Amino acid sequence: MRRIILIVCILAAGMQISAAASPSLIIGEFATHGDILMGFVPTMVEAGALVPTAEVVQGSPLKTGFIMGGGYSQRMIWKNADGSPGVMDDRLFNVWSARWNLFLRQGFIRRGPDDADIVTVSTGIRGRWETYTGNEDTVFITDNLALFPDAGGTVSNELTAAVSVNLIERNGIIPKGAFGICAVNWAPPFLLNTLLGTTDYLLLTGEVRGYYPIMQRTGSGGLNIFSVYLANRMRVDTFFKYGSDIPVFPQIYTSLGTKMRSLEPLSYGTSFTAVNNFDLRFAGPELGPPGLYPMLILFTDLGYSGGTYANTSLAENSIFLSAGIDAVISLFDFIHAGYRFSSMIFGDTMIETGVTGGIVIGIQFL
């Protein structure tokens, strides 16, 4: 069965795409709506700026960042009326949202020809407003607020803190090295989280990514002709406070279905999830503009979903293994667009079995 897969991956503080010494543009999250141009054009976008504000550490200025955005998108619920995983006939609804994010970022220990920070510490506050349409026939309704406390709309704010270590260097388009981050997101009631709907959770996230080039051939001007490299990501999300006030949107980032290929996005959203994504990548040639090139990706994902489902006492304890192939075009070394063949080797998907294929468009998370 053919399906369209949207990979929505979140950048912890956005993507900096201009020089660090001056204010720089940040691209945050984006999402699409499947009924608008077949979901190929972002209809919800976050953007902002990162501005040097003070010289706290010599050579590494303290930076203030802000991101704002919003728009219109779709969301799908893979749950039954009791909160257990399942497939309802009506599971798709529309989301109107506005987002805001204000944070401070401080780097330490600069290195390399790009003079990048090895260690970065950040803290801030992030929030959103959401309201919904088209959900009247789904389980995501105000008659089911015990399971979906945000079904009548939500205003949610969270305090964020993160420490990252970046040891990645690039030779053209090919990365080498490792990156790790540990982040805490706390959304207590006193942050106006009972103004519309209710939100109350504490989330800890840990992630490590690594890259190792096997071969690389470059041509004139340093453009990549053909390269082969390995990429691997390990990620763990655990909710230390996972009671009766968990909206749907935090599960978008932590559910195993969002992090593991071959599973439906937002499925298996439990209080503890862990995943290992492994890629063997064939990249090139660059098609003129730097960062524009075809890629063939052979991948295998191993995941675990445990603990309980949000706002229920229903337990889960499942292991999943999948494998597949992506044939994509890398756009500016940031967004991948192409086609995916994949198969769940071990574990149950929500609706599809065997080898499946579908269009894939999104930020490359690994």
Side-chain angles (χ1 to χ4, degrees), residues 72-291:
Y72 184 56
S73 59
Q74 278 186 328
R75 192 170 293 165
M76 192 173 292
I77 293 290
W78 298 99
K79 291 187 178 184
N80 296 313
D82 64 352
S84 61
V87 182
M88 306 293 287
D89 290 337
D90 295 301
R91 55 185 180 272
L92 192 66
F93 58 94
N94 308 309
V95 181
W96 287 97
S97 66
R99 318 283 185 88
W100 52 90
N101 185 3
L102 179 65
F103 60 92
L104 298 174
R105 180 185 296 174
Q106 178 62 62
F108 302 89
I109 315 175
R110 300 180 76 81
R111 58 134 180 101
D114 55 355
D115 204 24
D117 295 313
I118 295 179
V119 178
T120 301
V121 177
S122 63
T123 185
I125 183 168
R126 180 170 56 193
R128 69 173 64 201
W129 162 85
E130 289 188 350
T131 191
Y132 315 100
T133 62
N135 58 322
E136 297 82 6
D137 296 326
T138 73
V139 297
F140 186 73
I141 53 177
T142 54
D143 291 343
N144 205 3
L145 287 176
L147 182 59
F148 301 112
D150 51 336
T154 185
V155 171
S156 299
N157 296 284
E158 62 182 2
L159 300 173
T160 64
V163 178
S164 64
V165 177
N166 186 359
L167 300 175
I168 294 176
E169 297 180 351
R170 283 186 175 271
N171 183 7
I173 64 173
I174 304 304
K176 179 181 180 180
F179 172 87
I181 186 170
C182 182
V184 178
N185 293 23
W186 183 33
F190 65 77
L191 283 182
L192 301 180
N193 284 339
T194 58
L195 188 65
L196 177 62
T198 55
T199 302
D200 187 10
Y201 62 84
L202 176 62
L203 169 67
L204 176 64
T205 297
E207 179 174 315
V208 177
R209 302 196 303 265
Y211 306 89
Y212 184 77
I214 297 175
M215 66 164 289
Q216 183 174 14
R217 299 288 183 267
T218 57
S220 59
L223 292 180
N224 180 74
I225 297 176
F226 182 72
S227 298
V228 182
Y229 67 103
L230 304 176
N232 195 79
R233 180 183 80 156
M234 294 180 289
R235 174 165 172 155
V236 173
D237 291 280
T238 181
F239 285 90
F240 283 92
K241 184 174 179 57
Y242 202 65
S244 59
D245 297 319
I246 311 297
V248 169
F249 71 84
Q251 303 169 54
I252 297 174
Y253 312 133
T254 63
S255 68
L256 193 61
T258 302
K259 300 182 292 187
M260 184 173 178
R261 293 161 288 195
S262 295
L263 281 178
E264 292 82 2
L266 198 53
S267 62
Y268 294 98
T270 53
S271 57
F272 179 86
T273 56
V275 69
N276 189 91
N277 312 106
F278 176 78
D279 288 2
L280 173 61
R281 298 180 180 176
F282 303 86
E286 286 187 270
L287 303 176

